[in-house]
Amino acid sequence: MKVFIRIMIFSVLISMTYWGFSNYGIPQVIPEAPPVEEKISGSMTMDQYIALGGKIFNGKGTCTLCHNPVGGRAPLLVESGKDGAPVGARAADRIKDPRYKGKAKTAEEYIHESMVEPSTFVVAGFGKPGTNDTVSPMPNINKGSIGLNEAEIGAVISYLQKSAGVQVTVKLPTGAAPAAAEAPAEPQSAKTPEEAFGKHGCTTCHKIPGIEEAGDVGPDLTGLSARAGNRVKGLVAEQYVMQSILTPDAYTVKGFEPGTMPGDLGEKMTVKELDMIIKYLLEKKG
Amino acid sequence: MGFLRKGLFKGVSFRFTSLTACLFLLFFASTLILPVAYNGSILLNSALATEAPAPAPAGEHASPVLSKAEGKAEEGKKEGEEGFTYQPAPKLKVGDYPIVKGFNSRIAVWIVAQLHLWFGAFVLAVPIFVLVIEGVGMATKDERYDHMAHEFIKVSMTAFSLTASLGGLLTIMFVSFYPDFFKYMAAIFGKTMIIYAILFFGESFCLYIYYYGWDRMNKGFSKWVHLTMGLMLNVFGMTLMVLSNVWASFMMAPSGVDDAGVFTGNIWEAMRGPLWNPINLHRFIANIAFGGSIVGAYAAYKFLSAKTNEEKAHYDWMGYTANFIAIFGFLPLPFAGYWLMKEVYGYSQQMGITAMGGAFAWLFIIQAVLIGALFLGANYYLWCGMGRIKGSERYTPAIKYLIVVIVGCFLVWFTPHTLIMTAKEVTQVGGTHHPVLGSLGVMSAKNTAVNILIVSTFLSFMLYRRSNKIATASWTSTGNAIQVALFAAGAINIVTLGVYGYFIPANIRIGLSIPQVMTTLTVIIVSSLIDAFMYKGAKSTGPIEWGKMGPRSQYALFLLAVSFTWLMGLMGYVRSALRQHWHVYTVLRDNSLDAFTPTLGYAAGIITIAVYIFIALVIFAFWIANFSAKKHVEASH
């Protein structure tokens, strides 16, 4: 029995060491939330459209996974490099390349073609190994895991042209306003739980411990940590709070009307914000 | 065939000859193989069909097996009939995922799938090396091998039932938590799932005959029949593995479907995805390493609890053999891993970079820690083992140099490329890369480190093997000189290729791993051959004194078992998590509440919980194994 206990302690300690290293020995990077289709509103201006292109380029489009100065896996697009000027500026020259066999007639068409049919023209040195630069390793960005729609592709092209300092030739999608306006800020995670509550308007309806502004349309969240684990059978406190935010009508606290709390917070909140809010609510006792 | 005459066919008047035994075997094999062949022909027919059913336009029709989200079944048309069309992958909403109170769907499926894989790996691996050990016993006429092989398979018997139970539980969970996903998969792979079930029966038949017939079928021709049963057990087991790998690899890199996920109707196209064979090879090798480490832990426990010297000697020898098997499987594993990752990059550069340079980059630092622990543990066990061999003193001074090299390689592998730092720290360091150590974080350095690590471990093993031998061949000095030159040239070549990698583009650099691997393999194979000839008829400095091992060495075996288990959990997680928010990558999107990728700390928590459950179940399996009668332990080790 003594041997058995020793072995068990030893095995548990080894596992705990690996767990500890994974939690405290390396940084906890919070991966991006699953991407959603961008909504192109009727009142969008060109500057907003370009800003949206930048957001897609750096996020959902996953362009920077390869088109970055570190890995050297793909030509640089928004900055100058050994491949020449940014793509917005060099695109017109690509069409004149003797190896080019595509259908594009303009720089804009060339960029579009290289996004949806990347193997049409492969920049020398960037083809799949063994294909003599005839097959690109890049996926068709209007299909598969990226799956951008035409409006999103247009936004990226406009961003690439703007970054290169050339004239933006992309037309705004139908319904968007042509007049220039202030570009929307890049959506970023709130830095603190308090900021997240404010950003998503939680305090308009709820009283939240530690925050002065409070509403009474929704339940008072003071002391939530004590009761959250007992609200719904089978859900621990954390799961209950997560469910209440993401699918608020799954359970409605007695005395409150279902359908009052917005059901699209899951689409608006970043994973980091959701995590911060849950932790805050469950840690604040008073 | 005495056992059949006396037992199974007692009183039957016909004579049992070798011919009738062969006929019996043939008949038996036919009963198992015919259903498989029949199903195989169905598969082949659809594979060779010249005209696959035309894919349906998205959203128009729905097959009887598809989700409510996509519409109703096409009336009167069944699969295989003219006009039948397959449907696109459903577009799911949060509400399409049933919530079962008390369960988090993802965590439940995650843990059960991982437990099923661990036990599956174990029960697939053990019969492979049991068959080899039994064969060695037959060839050398040394009964100790036979007894050890029998004990190995005994340990895996309960694990076999646990694997099946966990497989059933996993299926129920898929149906309960992810019904639309399961329907989509079953619509494409339904036939393979039925074949899988039939094969499982075949495997069970063979396993039970193989295990329960061990003592009766142990002489003369019946031993050959027994060995054949073992071979068939492995054939069934391997086929089961490659079949289930089809589903996992399809989820990562779907083939045989169009962009909307419409099945083209050709099952062979769906099966032979780009990652199928790399995963087959990787799992096959990993299973052997994992299985070896688990039976090693069993032997270590028995060694530490042993009351007599005979028992200690037996389990020491068993532990040594299990460790040998684990390391034998472990050494080529990184190469299989490279092939898998190369194919991942080939299939989708985006997926490859997400793994190695994106969200999961830090996971490979955890992997480095685990593999470092495995190498250090395995080498430590070998060095301890040299203590039980007279004559090993000649080689012990080399150990300190090996430690330096192995720890050095481990540290290189462990070094991350970029560091997450505060703005102040970035200013102090001068960038996100450490000016000197940052260059050790790239693949060139890591490939070099792992190859040197493998060569060093092999050198440890070679020294161990030589410990009680003195070569008597006339060309011994020349042979030794050639081996020294071989190791030196190999090390120089590996390091030079690694340094060269810094000066060439990334897509070409990855190709350098092949000559590095070839160098490592050449060193291992050529020096093994030289050793085999040079030590033929060598003088012995004394027998290996089995059982004379300190308890600490046995803890190294536990370290190996727990680390292997944890490592498998980690790598299983990343293989699956690479799909990110997709059930079937690019085809069937995961729109459940749990579609986000968790942090590594969170994943480590789940893996640790699963490891604890696995350890508990393994202890249960070992405990059950000890219920059966204890074998007489040979005293003459």
Side-chain angles (χ1 to χ4, degrees), chain A residues 203-271:
Chain A
T203 48
T204 312
C205 302
H206 295 281
K207 181 174 182 345
I208 294 167
I211 296 179
E212 211 169 292
E213 187 192 342
D216 57 2
V217 179
D220 181 351
L221 303 182
T222 311
L224 181 65
S225 58
R227 60 181 184 272
N230 307 320
R231 280 285 198 209
V232 178
K233 203 177 169 189
L235 294 186
V236 296
E238 192 179 310
Q239 289 171 327
Y240 169 73
V241 179
M242 186 187 281
Q243 180 188 282
S244 305
I245 296 169
L246 299 177
T247 48
D249 290 337
Y251 173 85
T252 310
V253 177
K254 267 185 192 168
F256 294 92
E257 286 297 317
T260 313
M261 182 158 158
D264 60 349
L265 283 172
E267 288 165 28
K268 291 177 178 169
M269 246 176 222
T270 66
V271 176

Side-chain angles (χ1 to χ4, degrees), chain B residues 69-103:
Chain B
E70 293 299 319
K72 288 182 277 182
E74 194 179 9
E75 266 183 52
K77 297 278 165 48
K78 287 182 183 168
E79 193 179 342
E81 284 181 15
E82 202 179 336
F84 174 83
T85 51
Y86 289 98
Q87 290 302 299
K91 288 186 170 50
L92 302 175
K93 296 183 178 66
V94 174
D96 292 325
Y97 297 86
I99 292 176
V100 179
K101 293 270 169 75
F103 287 93

Side-chain angles (χ1 to χ4, degrees), chain B residues 303 312-320 381 388 546-547 549:
Chain B
F303 177 92
K312 276 198 165 190
H314 175 73
Y315 288 111
D316 185 16
W317 183 55
M318 192 173 176
Y320 165 77
Y381 181 78
R388 55 161 121 78
W546 294 108
M549 281 282 266

Side-chain angles (χ1 to χ4, degrees), chain B residues 290-358:
Chain B
F290 177 68
S293 76
I294 297 296
V295 287
Y298 170 79
Y301 173 68
K302 298 291 282 184
F303 177 92
L304 290 171
S305 325
K307 299 274 186 285
T308 64
N309 287 337
E310 286 76 16
E311 264 189 289
K312 276 198 165 190
H314 175 73
Y315 288 111
D316 185 16
W317 183 55
M318 192 173 176
Y320 165 77
T321 310
N323 183 55
F324 174 78
I325 293 164
I327 300 306
F328 178 77
F330 185 49
L331 291 186
L333 202 50
F335 306 138
Y338 285 137
W339 184 35
L340 176 58
M341 278 317 293
K342 187 171 176 284
E343 293 301 317
V344 166
Y345 269 99
Y347 163 68
S348 163
Q349 185 155 293
Q350 188 193 0
M351 186 184 259
I353 295 172
T354 301
M356 304 303 290

Side-chain angles (χ1 to χ4, degrees), chain A residues 30 41 61 69 75 89 95 106 110 114 119 132 159 178 199 209 229 235 240 256 264 275 282 285:
Chain A
I30 299 174
S41 73
I95 305 169
T106 63
Y110 169 79
S114 55
S119 292
N132 199 23
Y159 168 72
K199 181 179 166 187
L235 294 186
Y240 169 73
F256 294 92
D264 60 349
D275 195 43
L282 295 179
K285 307 282 181 202

Side-chain angles (χ1 to χ4, degrees), chain A residues 18 28 35 62 66 128 143 145 234, chain B residues 102 259 346 350 353 563 589 601:
Chain A
Y18 296 143
Q28 296 301 302
T62 65
C66 302
K128 272 193 176 181
K143 291 178 179 167
S145 64
Chain B
D259 292 338
Q350 188 193 0
I353 295 172
S563 302
R589 186 173 165 142

Side-chain angles (χ1 to χ4, degrees), chain A residues 12-65:
Chain A
V12 167
L13 283 178
I14 294 170
S15 275
M16 288 303 287
T17 306
Y18 296 143
W19 174 84
F21 179 73
S22 307
N23 275 276
Y24 305 106
I26 58 164
Q28 296 301 302
V29 180
I30 299 174
E32 294 280 329
V36 291
E37 188 160 308
E38 294 297 341
K39 290 184 177 65
I40 314 286
S41 73
S43 59
M44 185 170 268
T45 64
M46 183 49 86
D47 284 344
Q48 288 172 326
Y49 193 49
I50 292 168
L52 175 67
K55 181 184 154 194
I56 295 169
F57 182 83
N58 291 297
K60 179 184 178 182
T62 65
C63 314
T64 50
L65 272 180

Side-chain angles (χ1 to χ4, degrees), chain B residues 449-488:
Chain B
V450 75
N451 279 285
I452 298 286
L453 208 52
I454 290 170
V455 170
S456 306
T457 303
F458 175 73
L459 184 58
S460 266
F461 180 68
M462 232 174 80
L463 298 182
Y464 176 89
R465 295 277 297 166
R466 284 178 168 201
S467 286
N468 66 337
K469 291 174 190 152
I470 297 173
T472 52
S474 57
W475 50 280
T476 301
S477 309
T478 315
N480 279 330
I482 292 173
Q483 280 183 319
V484 169
L486 189 68
F487 272 93

